[in-house]
Amino acid sequence: LRQESQAACCYEEALRIVRMSSSNNRAIAELTAKVAKALTSSEPDKAKLLFEEVVLMQEQLNDFAGLCAAKTDLAEFYCSQQENVVSALQTLEETASLFKASDMGVGINPQFIILYSVRFRLDLVKAKCYMLLSDYESAVEQVSTCLGNVSTKLGQTLSPWEREFTGDMHMCCAQSLCKMQDCIECISNCKAAIDSYAMCQ
């Protein structure tokens, strides 16, 4: 659903049903996060409370991957509310520390796949925060590091969602390079983003 208000109503109804008929706290946490995302633009105060609630839920569930995802969601929300960029960066640093303290290993398992996608989002949100602070060099550095990690990822072909994130990264980099008036590199990243998005189909 493209209409945020309609999406929020549907997710809230689904959440109500799950709360009544199940004790599946993971499902409740996931649906709560979806409600929060749908309300980000229309009801930011309510969305903030829901994002914070999901972080607490994941802590109680002792779900490491879920907690990293929830904290990244919260940071992304702070970033979208531009006056909270410092809070966003602080939350991202906390999440990055969780990654450093963990030893998930590499493999095809749900935890690893969730964490890998969260790592993408964490780097992208961090770059966007630097852009909001007009620290374009740090934004480019953040994105470039992540893109370097993607290009060497296990020697595997990138999946559609990885290509989409790669396109988002290149666009973020292009926007920063534009502000830095580095036109040649800006155009190069725009072309790379187009290529990445084209391969998502």
Side-chain angles (χ1 to χ4, degrees), residues 163-164 167 191-201:
R163 292 194 184 282
E164 183 176 357
K191 289 179 177 177
I194 292 169
D195 290 343
S196 294
Y197 291 138
M199 287 186 283
C200 292
Q201 305 303 318

Side-chain angles (χ1 to χ4, degrees), residues 110-187:
Q111 287 274 306
F112 174 73
I113 293 170
I114 292 171
L115 286 171
Y116 187 67
S117 65
V118 170
R119 183 78 244 190
F120 262 94
R121 287 201 299 121
L122 191 153
D123 287 329
L124 182 57
V125 175
K126 196 168 188 178
K128 288 180 178 179
C129 286
Y130 287 138
M131 287 178 64
L132 289 172
L133 294 172
S134 299
D135 187 353
Y136 302 114
E137 289 185 7
S138 293
V140 171
E141 182 180 350
Q142 185 74 35
V143 170
S144 298
T145 299
C146 184
L147 287 171
N149 293 337
V150 175
S151 65
T152 58
K153 190 214 73 164
L154 304 177
Q156 298 175 3
T157 302
L158 297 183
S159 64
W161 71 262
E162 287 171 311
R163 292 194 184 282
E164 183 176 357
F165 268 115
T166 300
D168 292 345
M169 288 283 185
H170 279 298
M171 281 306 301
C172 181
C173 194
Q175 289 169 337
S176 295
L177 289 164
C178 181
K179 292 290 187 179
M180 295 165 66
Q181 298 184 355
D182 189 339
C183 299
I184 294 175
E185 285 300 316
C186 174
I187 292 170

Side-chain angles (χ1 to χ4, degrees), residues 32-84:
T32 303
K34 290 181 183 295
V35 174
K37 289 177 183 178
L39 293 174
T40 294
S41 298
S42 60
E43 298 184 54
D45 291 340
K46 183 176 179 179
K48 178 178 180 289
L49 293 175
L50 290 172
F51 280 122
E52 291 172 343
E53 182 182 344
V54 175
V55 170
L56 292 176
M57 286 182 187
Q58 297 293 6
E59 287 177 345
Q60 292 168 359
L61 286 168
N62 199 27
D63 183 341
F64 177 72
L67 177 59
C68 288
K71 289 182 78 70
T72 303
D73 284 342
L74 179 60
E76 193 166 19
F77 169 79
Y78 284 143
C79 184
S80 72
Q81 310 298 304
Q82 298 181 6
E83 68 274 14
N84 286 325

